[in-house]
Amino acid sequence: MKVLLVGINAKYIQTNLAVRLLTSWAHAHSRPVQEGSVSVLFREWNINQPLASALRGIYEEKPDVLLFSVYIWNSRFVFDLAAEARVLLPAALIGFGGPEVSWSPERVFSASPASDFILSGEGELAFSALLEVLDANGSGERERLLAVPGIHLRNNGRQNSTHPDSPAFESGPPSQTLENLDSIAFPYREQENGFDPFHQLVYYESSRGCPFNCAYCMSSLEKSVRFRSLDLVFQDLRFFIENKWPLVKFVDRTFNIKPERYLAIWEWIRDHHAGSTMFHFEIAAELLDDRAFAVLSTMPEGAIQFEIGIQSAHPEILKRVNRFSSPEVLADRIRKIPKTIHVHVDLIAGLPGEDVSLFEESFNFAWNLRSDQLQLGFLKILPGAPMEEYAVSHPEYSWSRVPPYEVYSSGSLSYSELLILKDVEHLLDGWYNSGFAPNALFRAASMHPGGPFRLFLDLVRFVRDWFPDGDLYLPRKPIDIFACLASFLRTRCSGLELEYLKLDYLMMGKPGFYPDWFVRRYSREEHEKAIATCISSSPEEPNRLLFARTEYERLDLSGSSEPEGYFFEYSRTKNNGKRAKMTKV
């Protein structure tokens, strides 16, 4: 019997940790798999690929059981894919697992008539039990299937009940949590076809559960926090570092809840950093203490990065969604994080009671922390999350009933106001978070009389007027975006902001040419001196190549009467995603 686990990612660069963990678990703990009577494998696609491509891949595997990993971003694709797979594989048992299907089986069975069963909650123990039943009974005897923890089994279709008035599905015993995370085999040691860790994100789990109770988050439903032992974590991290995988994202919901543990992991990373692997952590910055900052102060650049949820700058708003945080403490902690560590902060629009005026204050608060990225998200009313109960009991809330369940209005924010915030988010993400023009935008925001949020409102209006089609969301060439922003800065700001735009232009990569708005102060003689001062070149590297991979420009970044010289060195490897290295000379 063949069991195929299917992961459908949001983008090519993403990968599915769940199907890897379940495959590793089955090979380590399932008797039928170890004896060879059941085979378990996984395949991955993404929602940007043609559905027919994934369908063909599934069909060519000829699985007896097809189990999809379902999330908010892929459920529509998965339900459509399952329907087509049912046509081609009418005898297959088709099931779903994952957070998107764990809390409302009646909705899932209604949305996907092709499905036979759902596994809710954590998957390892349920998957083991399912494999035992399938091995003993082929397609699975109904009574034994209903003994699988966390299962919901459809009553019509292939698993038909003989009683026409029976309910749409039956449920087995509650799902079981895995207490010992050390029993999960490391999922990345085997070679995978099609997996490219140098161009795709790698996800890693060192703990499960969350002690907090944020109303908008599904993790608030699981209070049991469990940890993988440090010895195994260090062993796993060593694999990533020795293989030089560029980015590994910890999926732990709040990584730094246990000081003796998280500090030991950071110290290990610090002591073993080899310059190639960066580890990403989602942290609660307010929990950082003096011991943490002592470790962070010694962390090599490029070893770790942080994602920090602010959500709102107003404690009274946060309390309504069961978050308890002091903005002053949070700001103090974030500002203490060394600048060598990349920091990404989050806001959520649509929280109860936060109108446009209050959100503007939250935006300005987050912006002034000068993080590397500021992500503006929008409240999602997730089925099964506590926020759904709140929204249902407050008729002023309206939201989409299909993924991603995003809020339309909150009583404090109208749909029209949310659309304005969507416009701001689009420029924030595309022009600031992307690294396109962060220096010019930050400088312009600091000088804008209305503050950062009002700057982006002005910029949204300007962009719509500047481009003849008036379309804010149409993809643009970088040279056109720079020209638009240069025009904006000329008309709305002082000349100093344009100097910072020149800096951004030079930091993006070696310019192929210089547009009209970029008035140069170049000196070849000074460029040659800077090369001699700043670069330790090999004798084999000719002078023309040194000029080709460097640049020199005099910029006025301080507002003084005399511009200063800056030297830019560009990577020898194209498309490596890194900005220029800048040196003041």
Side-chain angles (χ1 to χ4, degrees):
M1 171 172 287
K2 179 185 283 189
V3 178
L4 178 64
L5 304 177
V6 177
I8 303 293
N9 302 306
K11 303 175 183 177
Y12 165 76
I13 63 168
Q14 294 178 338
T15 54
N16 187 295
L17 178 60
V19 296
R20 288 174 169 79
L21 289 175
L22 286 180
T23 302
S24 295
W25 175 267
H27 284 89
H29 297 283
S30 172
R31 178 196 55 79
V33 174
Q34 293 173 343
E35 292 179 355
S37 56
V38 174
S39 65
V40 174
L41 68 156
F42 72 86
R43 293 286 305 277
E44 287 182 285
W45 292 272
N46 67 74
I47 61 175
N48 300 305
Q49 292 179 272
L51 187 142
S53 176
L55 181 64
R56 175 174 178 163
I58 290 171
Y59 175 76
E60 289 176 343
E61 292 291 352
K62 298 292 193 302
D64 301 290
V65 180
L66 189 56
L67 185 56
F68 292 91
S69 176
V70 191
Y71 294 86
I72 191 172
W73 61 80
N74 70 11
S75 60
R76 292 185 188 180
F77 190 100
V78 166
F79 293 166
D80 290 344
L81 182 56
E84 299 306 310
R86 170 61 70 214
V87 176
L88 294 178
L89 302 168
L93 196 63
I94 297 179
F96 300 144
E100 178 63 10
V101 299
S102 286
W103 307 103
S104 51
E106 62 283 348
R107 178 184 60 84
V108 175
F109 282 128
S110 175
S112 177
S115 57
D116 291 309
F117 69 95
I118 297 167
L119 290 183
S120 62
E122 293 186 12
E124 285 86 1
L125 298 178
F127 192 48
S128 289
L130 177 67
L131 294 178
E132 288 287 347
V133 173
L134 295 174
D135 183 53
N137 297 280
S139 62
E141 183 180 291
R142 185 172 189 84
E143 289 72 21
R144 293 196 64 187
L145 282 172
L146 284 170
V148 173
I151 198 168
H152 304 284
L153 192 61
R154 186 188 288 278
N155 267 339
N156 54 14
R158 220 167 62 78
Q159 294 294 329
N160 239 355
S161 169
T162 57
H163 303 288
D165 58 345
S166 63
F169 66 93
E170 295 179 79
S171 299
S175 60
Q176 297 177 349
T177 58
L178 184 66
E179 296 301 327
N180 181 15
L181 298 191
D182 287 357
S183 61
I184 302 176
F186 183 64
Y188 291 109
R189 295 198 185 279
E190 298 298 324
Q191 183 69 33
E192 298 176 24
N193 291 329
F195 172 54
D196 180 4
F198 298 98
H199 297 93
Q200 291 179 289
L201 298 177
V202 176
Y203 298 96
Y204 176 74
E205 180 182 56
S206 77
S207 69
R208 283 186 186 174
C210 183
F212 301 112
N213 192 36
C214 304
Y216 48 78
C217 183
M218 299 300 289
S219 297
S220 65
L221 302 174
E222 177 53 69
K223 296 294 184 293
S224 172
V225 182
R226 293 142 289 148
F227 300 96
R228 189 167 173 85
S229 68
L230 285 176
D231 286 345
L232 285 180
V233 171
F234 296 156
Q235 187 179 113
D236 300 340
L237 300 189
R238 187 183 299 277
F239 173 89
F240 295 132
I241 288 175
E242 289 180 348
N243 285 278
K244 298 183 179 180
W245 290 8
L247 180 60
V248 178
K249 301 189 78 169
F250 276 66
V251 298
D252 305 38
R253 299 312 304 156
T254 302
F255 176 76
N256 62 321
I257 56 176
K258 197 174 181 182
E260 63 273 17
R261 175 185 171 80
Y262 81 79
L263 290 176
I265 292 174
W266 286 351
E267 288 171 341
W268 192 95
I269 291 172
R270 176 198 63 194
D271 296 342
H272 294 81
H273 180 62
S276 300
T277 304
M278 177 183 286
F279 295 94
H280 174 105
F281 301 95
E282 185 174 331
I283 68 168
E286 62 269 28
L287 299 181
L288 298 175
D289 58 16
D290 290 342
R291 292 176 298 167
F293 289 115
V295 174
L296 296 179
S297 69
T298 61
M299 188 68 66
E301 185 172 2
I304 63 175
Q305 64 182 23
F306 292 151
E307 181 175 351
I308 300 169
I310 295 173
Q311 321 314 5
S312 172
H314 304 285
E316 68 277 10
I317 301 298
L318 294 173
K319 287 178 183 177
R320 296 182 185 185
V321 290
N322 301 326
R323 280 183 71 94
F324 302 92
S325 177
S326 164
E328 292 78 16
V329 171
L330 190 60
D332 174 71
R333 301 296 189 273
I334 292 174
R335 289 191 175 106
K336 286 182 178 178
I337 296 172
K339 295 303 180 184
T340 52
I341 297 173
H342 179 98
V343 175
H344 163 144
V345 300
D346 300 328
L347 290 176
I348 296 178
L351 296 176
E354 189 164 61
D355 58 18
V356 170
S357 177
L358 290 176
F359 182 81
E360 178 178 351
E361 293 175 6
S362 292
F363 185 96
N364 292 343
F365 169 84
W367 176 271
N368 288 325
L369 294 174
R370 189 93 199 250
S371 61
D372 297 282
Q373 292 187 359
L374 167 55
Q375 180 175 328
L376 169 51
F378 295 84
L379 181 66
K380 296 173 177 58
I381 312 295
L382 301 176
M387 191 65 214
E388 183 185 35
E389 183 179 350
Y390 179 95
V392 168
S393 64
H394 289 73
E396 65 271 20
Y397 260 95
S398 65
W399 68 96
S400 172
R401 265 45 176 199
V402 297
Y405 311 109
E406 207 163 85
V407 66
Y408 289 145
S409 63
S410 67
S412 300
L413 279 175
S414 68
Y415 184 54
S416 295
E417 290 168 329
L418 281 166
L419 289 178
I420 293 172
L421 298 185
K422 286 277 188 181
D423 292 344
V424 169
E425 185 272 337
H426 180 70
L427 290 187
L428 175 70
D429 195 52
W431 294 21
Y432 180 78
N433 291 339
S434 66
F436 195 87
N439 295 294
L441 287 171
F442 193 84
R443 175 71 190 185
S446 67
M447 302 301 292
H448 193 281
F453 184 73
R454 297 300 174 100
L455 169 80
F456 276 92
L457 290 181
D458 286 350
L459 186 57
V460 164
R461 289 188 287 266
F462 184 89
V463 172
R464 281 207 164 99
D465 291 339
W466 195 85
F467 286 103
D469 51 46
D471 190 340
L472 187 72
Y473 293 85
L474 194 67
R476 308 289 181 184
K477 295 178 181 178
I479 195 68
D480 293 334
I481 296 176
F482 271 112
C484 175
L485 192 49
S487 181
F488 174 80
L489 295 176
R490 278 202 190 105
T491 58
R492 308 296 176 91
C493 305
S494 69
L496 193 58
E497 286 79 7
L498 201 60
E499 292 293 301
Y500 280 88
L501 189 65
K502 291 181 180 179
L503 171 62
D504 288 322
Y505 189 76
L506 290 165
M507 290 295 291
M508 283 286 289
K510 174 76 172 180
F513 78 103
Y514 288 86
D516 292 342
W517 61 265
F518 196 123
V519 179
R520 298 214 65 188
R521 305 186 188 98
Y522 176 75
S523 163
R524 183 177 176 87
E525 181 182 352
E526 293 301 320
H527 189 172
E528 193 163 16
K529 289 180 181 177
I531 289 175
T533 303
C534 300
I535 292 184
S536 299
S537 59
S538 63
E540 295 79 20
E541 189 170 12
N543 207 42
R544 61 180 179 82
L545 290 184
L546 290 171
F547 272 91
R549 68 179 181 90
T550 62
E551 188 55 279
Y552 172 84
E553 186 61 48
R554 295 173 67 223
L555 300 171
D556 180 10
L557 300 181
S558 61
S560 64
S561 57
E562 184 62 31
E564 297 176 293
Y566 292 88
F567 179 72
F568 300 84
E569 183 178 359
Y570 302 98
S571 171
R572 304 185 202 198
T573 303
K574 292 184 178 180
N575 301 321
N576 70 343
K578 293 183 179 179
R579 290 162 65 79
K581 176 185 176 183
M582 182 184 75
T583 306
K584 186 177 178 181
V585 293

